[in-house]
Amino acid sequence: GYMVSDHLLELATLSTFTTYAVGIFEPIQMTAANIAEFISLQASIERVMDLMDKTPQIQDAPEVIEKYGDAFHPKRENWEPIRGEIEFRDVTFRYPDGGGNVLEHFSLHIPQGSTVAIVGETGAGKSTLVNLACRFFEPTEGQILIDGVDTATLGLEDARRALCIIPQDPVLFCASVRFNIDPFNEYSDEAIWGVLEQVQLKEAITKLGGLDSPLEEGGENLSVGNRQLICVIRALLRKPKILLMDEATSSLDNGTDAMLQEVIRREFSQCTCLTIAHRLNTVMDADRICVMEKGEVKEYDSPRNLWEKEGLFHAMVVATNDRKLMEAL
């Protein structure tokens, strides 16, 4: 610029020089950016390959696969009819990453078609029961039986087809509402809309744009409560023999929770239900309540009987200071 002002360089020459300089540096910058992307891509590929090379911790034995098949080649003709009886028989469990036992010689029998509520302080092992029932982990010692058969001798696909879990943290995908409710296209639009109306979610989905409207990652364009209802809708459509609910209504307001409890009681009356809840008013209709403490069963009886025994459950109810709840018992 000084050279142009001193008439030592023409403006056209300066413009040409600048154009050439930019033309040289732009490819260099693009090359540097591409190299950075390749480095990042390499790290991502390594993570993906590590995941694909991992051996699942829970696998069927060869003789079980021979009889029941696997996820890619299921032998449905050999699958046993499942009624829904669950039994934890002298189960001791610790997580693979070490630490102490989460469950210690735990035994619990859940009759077919009954509802059992698991209550207890945080860390008592309540969610671990759901993980074991779904066979996400194998017990360190003892057995878990469905209809009197050890789950280790049932095929994973055979056992899990009868299960449905409503987790505390909803699992939603970056896909359409329809895919999140019915990923395998098993149900008609009429059936899906009917269940949406049952749980009072029809209006919210309609405002969103219908069943083909996209959900953001993790369902961010839905409220927390509505995300939880999507998981409930999956179970209502599937009508499983065994329903596992891990704090399933923790994100719902009291009115929606009461409505949903009524729907669950009506639609899953013939289903074996294992439910975990901190809000005691949601488990008062259970056939049995299991009070857990440090991985052990401390009390197991009907809500009224436990209240009259004035033990741990009685103390938990009194601690809520809920007069209506105490009067109902």
Side-chain angles (χ1 to χ4, degrees):
Y2 285 125
M3 292 175 71
V4 172
S5 65
D6 292 340
H7 304 289
L8 298 176
L9 185 69
E10 293 185 1
L11 184 60
T13 304
L14 175 62
S15 175
T16 302
F17 172 78
T18 304
T19 302
Y20 286 154
V22 170
I24 292 171
F25 282 109
E26 275 190 353
I28 294 174
Q29 289 175 330
M30 290 176 64
T31 301
N34 287 336
I35 291 173
E37 285 189 12
F38 276 120
I39 293 172
S40 176
L41 178 62
Q42 181 182 2
S44 298
I45 290 174
E46 288 175 357
R47 292 191 184 99
V48 171
M49 295 308 297
D50 285 344
L51 182 62
M52 294 181 69
D53 290 339
K54 281 188 179 298
T55 302
Q57 292 181 346
I58 307 301
Q59 297 187 77
D60 287 328
E63 59 271 18
V64 175
I65 295 176
E66 177 67 25
K67 180 177 181 180
Y68 297 109
D70 56 23
F72 299 103
H73 307 94
K75 297 181 180 179
R76 292 185 174 85
E77 66 276 9
N78 294 335
W79 287 2
E80 309 288 347
I82 291 178
R83 302 186 308 274
E85 178 187 9
I86 306 173
E87 182 181 358
F88 295 84
R89 184 179 292 175
D90 197 29
V91 171
T92 297
F93 176 75
R94 74 176 65 89
Y95 282 101
D97 55 3
N101 292 335
V102 181
L103 299 177
E104 192 81 45
H105 299 292
F106 180 90
S107 294
L108 180 67
H109 179 249
I110 304 171
Q112 173 192 349
S114 65
T115 297
V116 172
I118 310 294
V119 299
E121 299 295 331
T122 301
K126 302 186 299 297
S127 295
T128 300
L129 293 182
V130 173
N131 290 331
L132 288 171
C134 292
R135 208 179 163 198
F136 297 149
F137 298 96
E138 297 279 26
T140 308
E141 297 175 14
Q143 294 177 303
I144 299 171
L145 302 97
I146 294 179
D147 295 342
V149 180
D150 192 334
T151 54
T153 64
L154 288 173
L156 279 170
E157 296 300 313
D158 185 16
R160 288 177 179 170
R161 69 187 168 88
L163 298 171
C164 193
I165 180 172
I166 305 176
Q168 183 175 2
D169 299 316
V171 178
L172 298 177
F173 301 96
C174 187
S176 67
V177 174
R178 185 195 309 275
F179 178 85
N180 276 280
I181 292 175
D182 180 22
F184 302 109
N185 295 318
E186 297 176 280
Y187 307 102
S188 65
D189 286 6
E190 290 77 14
I192 295 174
W193 281 114
V195 176
L196 285 168
E197 189 168 7
Q198 257 189 308
V199 300
Q200 300 178 11
L201 195 57
K202 182 177 181 179
E203 183 178 351
I205 298 302
T206 301
K207 287 181 179 179
L208 198 63
L211 295 178
D212 294 318
S213 56
L215 291 184
E216 296 176 5
E217 189 69 34
E220 289 295 326
N221 50 339
L222 288 175
S223 68
V224 177
N226 285 347
R227 293 175 215 166
Q228 194 75 59
L229 288 175
I230 292 289
C231 296
V232 175
I233 287 169
R234 295 170 184 162
L236 287 169
L237 283 169
R238 191 173 175 186
K239 298 188 183 302
K241 294 293 184 181
I242 300 172
L243 179 64
L244 307 170
M245 296 185 289
D246 187 1
E247 296 288 347
T249 61
S250 59
S251 303
L252 305 179
D253 60 79
N254 290 333
T256 305
D257 186 15
M259 174 275 298
L260 190 57
Q261 293 297 334
E262 177 59 32
V263 171
I264 289 173
R265 281 193 295 270
R266 183 176 66 250
E267 298 298 326
F268 296 108
S269 59
Q270 304 300 314
C271 172
T272 303
C273 294
L274 180 64
T275 179
I276 296 170
H278 283 301
R279 290 193 290 190
L280 295 180
N281 62 316
T282 64
V283 299
M284 288 301 105
D285 290 329
D287 299 310
R288 293 287 187 275
I289 290 181
C290 173
V291 183
M292 291 186 63
E293 186 178 75
K294 297 180 180 179
E296 298 179 359
V297 176
K298 293 299 183 182
E299 296 177 352
Y300 185 51
D301 209 333
S302 67
R304 183 174 297 278
N305 288 345
L306 290 181
W307 171 255
E308 292 174 353
K309 289 179 181 178
E310 299 188 2
L312 289 174
F313 179 74
H314 185 278
M316 293 170 67
V317 174
V318 171
T320 65
N321 201 27
D322 187 335
R323 187 167 297 278
K324 289 184 178 179
L325 181 59
M326 289 184 275
E327 289 176 353
L329 290 167

